[in-house]
Amino acid sequence: MQVLALSRTQDDKGNVRWTLFGASHQPASVVFWRGFSETDEKRFLSLIAWASGDEPPPSQGLRVLGPAADLPAFARARLWREHEPAKIHTLFTLEPFGNLPDSLQEAYLAGTLRILPTPASHVFSWHPWYRKLAAVLPRATQIPLLHLFPRVQEGYTIRIPQSGWLDEHDPSQARPTGSHRVVPHIARTHRWQRTPRDQALVGDGAFTDTVTVALFSTNPDDLGLYGKPMARNSQIWTHDYERLLDGPSASKPELERAAELLDRGGRFGYRLYYPPMRAGTRELFWHLPLLARLQPGSGQAEIYEDTLRLGTVTAEATAPAGGRPLVLAANLLDRPGHRQAASLFVREPGQLRHTTAQNLRKLLDFREYLASPLPGSFARALLRIAKETTLDAWLAKLPQLANDSEAATRLVGDLRAHIAPEIRWARRLPLGKPERALLKRRSGGTSRPWPRVNIGTRKPPTG
């Protein structure tokens, strides 16, 4: 299990994108148990059975370990206690392995105790150096998870900002040692770059700079027409995990000092940081526990189907001393048709990825916006399909493209029920010679169907 921190950010094309900020900066125990009510024991046992592969769910020999203040009532009833007489075989805890009592560590290493989730899943949230850095750099515990991924900018994926390490050193000197992931260049996109919204926003070579140049340079040749220094959208720290720059809150002297220290050389860590969505003055984060397992027998990765219900939203003050975060309930939309539109059309031969899902989403969204059946001509105009393809022909072909033809047939039937019959306008009749002559006389001797109007020739009234 890994608790993620997600929010929505805006890219340089104006698209609002779900963005991965990294591992959650809130304690995993707090985030996870928020997803359960006081009487949700049945759902919790179902999760344990899924994670361990046990059927039916275990009712005996299961204990929970964690701060009692975070636990709901059913979990407190199963709280582990030292020297308890009952034999336990499964322990659910979100504490790091090093903080567990010695007896539990020994039982786990001996193979007589199963710990869920696996203790290895805490390696990112409990990285000691980033926890030290978090004392001076806001939300630094998010960063270790980001280092697993490259920069991701595709239109229909979660946005992942670039992060990594810089080795700024004199070429005549030996390179710093270590196994950090060095990412020295960044491809800067630009506003006049014509990129379809469902494709990656990548540089074209002319706008690929070293990270230090992209962050701090004000040279006109580096910036071009629309570029700007990106230091305000970055966080930088030193090789010994001391804060160097927190871009969103930095003053001008702090920016100048960071640029000077990078120019001197050394090893530095960095990540690009885009402002998360806000509610008033508070920043909103969706803390989502991501649970996965290897399927018994096949060994394929599988995500827990109810994982979205475990997530909670927090509204957090931007200043570290801004008070406790407000906890909000996530409103998960499960609208008819939208889930099918997103999942039925995985492969689309001869088309850009997600084209069919995007077409269906537009039909479903505008049906809700207008609160009435869509006119057929308007529905056809919303679609991104070949010019010669009619709306009926496109709808009829959808079951053949879907990975579940029966579900697609039901979706098509629902769409047809909310599309109004097309209005067929009468064919315009041509005017004969007598009608054209009459029209010419009434229009002042011209062929225009409106009277001649002379502007500015009328004298103003006198007297």
Side-chain angles (χ1 to χ4, degrees):
M1 186 185 81
Q2 178 63 59
V3 183
L4 308 178
L6 302 162
S7 189
R8 303 191 78 185
T9 63
Q10 189 176 53
D11 64 20
D12 59 355
K13 301 294 189 292
N15 301 317
V16 179
R17 308 273 304 281
W18 276 109
T19 301
L20 175 66
F21 280 75
S24 175
H25 49 276
Q26 293 202 345
S29 177
V30 173
V31 174
F32 177 81
W33 291 113
R34 278 181 191 153
F36 293 89
S37 68
E38 296 292 319
T39 59
D40 254 348
E41 182 175 23
K42 184 176 180 180
R43 189 158 68 98
F44 174 69
L45 293 178
S46 176
L47 168 61
I48 296 297
W50 175 85
S52 59
D54 293 339
E55 293 292 345
S59 57
Q60 303 296 328
L62 170 64
R63 291 293 180 268
V64 174
L65 178 63
D70 298 339
L71 304 179
F74 72 85
R76 288 196 299 271
R78 293 179 176 271
L79 195 61
W80 178 84
R81 295 175 177 82
E82 187 76 44
H83 307 302
E84 64 175 302
K87 180 177 177 58
I88 65 171
H89 55 75
T90 302
L91 177 73
F92 185 90
T93 182
L94 297 172
E95 298 295 317
F97 188 75
N99 291 356
L100 298 181
D102 293 341
S103 59
L104 294 179
Q105 294 186 28
E106 294 171 0
Y108 176 77
L109 295 176
T112 60
L113 176 67
R114 177 170 52 193
I115 296 180
L116 296 177
T118 172
S121 63
H122 305 303
V123 65
F124 300 108
S125 301
W126 289 88
H127 191 294
W129 292 109
Y130 283 103
R131 294 184 73 83
K132 168 196 170 185
L133 179 61
V136 291
L137 186 65
R139 305 177 181 127
T141 52
Q142 298 174 346
I143 298 172
L145 184 66
L146 286 181
H147 288 333
L148 289 181
F149 306 101
R151 180 188 184 190
V152 176
Q153 289 283 95
E154 282 82 355
Y156 293 115
T157 56
I158 292 178
R159 184 187 192 192
I160 303 180
Q162 183 168 316
S163 66
W165 288 81
L166 302 173
D167 279 343
E168 299 293 320
H169 67 285
D170 189 332
S172 62
Q173 301 175 354
R175 294 179 63 90
T177 59
S179 57
H180 293 298
R181 187 172 69 97
V182 177
V183 187
H185 295 90
I186 183 170
R188 290 202 280 188
T189 58
H190 45 93
R191 289 171 56 186
W192 64 91
Q193 186 177 5
R194 297 182 62 86
T195 306
R197 66 187 303 172
D198 54 352
Q199 293 186 6
L201 297 174
V202 296
D204 53 10
F207 295 89
T208 299
D209 295 319
T210 59
V211 171
T212 49
V213 169
L215 293 181
F216 295 104
S217 176
T218 57
N219 188 324
D221 292 334
D222 296 330
L223 295 179
L225 184 59
Y226 290 107
K228 66 175 183 179
M230 302 173 65
R232 283 284 183 196
N233 292 113
S234 68
Q235 292 179 329
I236 308 174
W237 56 96
T238 63
H239 70 282
D240 53 355
Y241 296 87
E242 295 292 340
R243 185 178 85 165
L244 181 60
L245 179 69
D246 180 25
S249 63
S251 62
K252 184 177 180 180
E254 289 174 329
L255 292 170
E256 294 174 346
R257 175 178 173 273
E260 179 183 354
L261 291 177
L262 260 73
D263 187 58
R264 293 180 187 175
R267 169 166 282 178
F268 305 92
Y270 75 95
R271 71 157 168 172
L272 298 184
Y273 186 91
Y274 302 106
M277 67 184 299
R278 290 195 174 199
T281 60
R282 292 178 175 266
E283 296 177 336
L284 299 181
F285 285 94
W286 186 21
H287 301 273
L288 180 66
L290 180 63
L291 296 96
R293 70 168 185 176
L294 294 179
Q295 292 180 348
S298 66
Q300 297 293 319
E302 179 186 17
I303 296 177
Y304 184 54
E305 62 179 3
D306 202 30
T307 189
L308 294 180
R309 291 180 57 194
L310 299 175
T312 55
V313 178
T314 58
E316 305 174 13
T318 54
R324 298 182 61 183
L326 302 178
V327 181
L328 309 175
N331 181 24
L332 300 178
L333 298 179
D334 193 5
R335 296 167 291 177
H338 284 268
R339 181 185 292 272
Q340 292 80 1
S343 59
L344 289 179
F345 304 93
V346 178
R347 298 180 180 179
E348 304 175 64
Q351 292 183 330
L352 293 175
R353 190 181 179 192
H354 303 304
T355 298
T356 302
Q358 177 74 352
N359 285 335
L360 290 168
R361 186 189 65 82
K362 288 187 286 187
L363 293 178
L364 294 167
D365 281 347
F366 274 93
R367 184 177 75 182
E368 295 178 12
Y369 296 155
L370 301 179
S372 63
L374 295 178
S377 58
F378 179 62
R380 173 60 182 83
L382 291 174
L383 303 179
R384 185 182 180 183
I385 55 179
K387 292 181 179 180
E388 63 275 8
T389 304
T390 64
L391 176 62
D392 287 338
W394 180 77
L395 289 172
K397 191 178 179 181
L398 288 181
Q400 304 173 25
L401 301 176
N403 48 29
D404 185 344
S405 59
E406 294 183 1
T409 301
R410 291 192 296 270
L411 176 60
V412 170
D414 179 59
L415 290 173
R416 289 187 185 276
H418 291 84
I419 296 178
E422 186 63 47
I423 299 176
R424 297 188 176 275
W425 299 97
R427 186 172 60 89
R428 186 177 63 178
L429 298 177
L431 295 178
K433 186 174 181 180
E435 291 82 1
R436 288 199 302 271
L438 177 62
L439 180 62
K440 186 173 183 180
R441 288 197 300 271
R442 290 185 175 180
S443 60
T446 67
S447 59
R448 294 174 301 193
W450 56 84
R452 181 186 298 276
V453 178
N454 296 322
I455 301 176
T457 59
R458 185 177 180 182
K459 294 182 179 180
T462 58

